[in-house]
Amino acid sequence: MLNSQTVTFFPQVAEGKVDRTITAVQAGRIKFQGSYWPAQFYDADCQATVLPNDVVKVVGRISITLMVVPDGYSLPAQSEKTAQNPAEKWVSGITALFKPEGRRRLSAIAN
């Protein structure tokens, strides 16, 4: 799997159609926005099997591999996504510093 790389999440979930079977241990291929792409399950613990012509939800990508979940599968919470994406986590942390409680924490550290 591609665990060492960061998932880039798409702002909106979109649909793709399976071209080659995808399982928990086997990446496959989907047709997405008119082109064919390598695809694998976003959730490594997903025990589903999606077969050719099944619909999947495309949630993001790692390099050119699309990260998908089976249609009807519960998507991870936004907080889980942020924890998985270092850039979003960093922006979230910086933004928190500018909230009143964050400024108080900075003052306490400085004193």
Side-chain angles (χ1 to χ4, degrees):
M1 301 251 342
L2 303 168
N3 292 338
S4 64
Q5 297 177 350
T6 302
V7 176
T8 301
F9 290 98
F10 296 153
Q12 293 182 330
V13 174
E15 288 188 353
K17 187 178 264 192
V18 177
D19 181 57
R20 286 193 199 139
T21 301
I22 304 170
T23 69
V25 295
Q26 173 186 326
R29 188 169 77 165
I30 66 169
K31 186 171 185 179
F32 177 67
Q33 295 183 347
S35 296
Y36 290 90
W37 299 90
Q40 72 180 46
F41 287 141
Y42 164 69
D43 182 356
D45 295 329
C46 179
Q47 293 302 309
T49 296
V50 289
L51 303 171
N53 294 317
D54 286 350
V55 173
V56 291
K57 302 293 183 184
V58 180
V59 297
R61 68 176 180 82
I62 296 178
S63 186
I64 65 165
T65 300
L66 297 180
M67 307 308 289
V68 302
V69 295
D71 193 27
Y73 188 83
S74 318
L75 295 173
Q78 185 62 37
S79 60
E80 292 176 30
K81 286 183 183 181
T82 302
Q84 301 255 343
N85 187 329
E88 289 179 12
K89 188 174 183 179
W90 183 82
V91 169
S92 167
I94 293 299
T95 304
L97 290 176
F98 293 98
K99 293 180 179 177
E101 58 275 6
R103 286 195 294 265
R104 283 193 293 275
R105 264 186 260 140
L106 281 177
S107 293
I109 293 169
N111 293 329

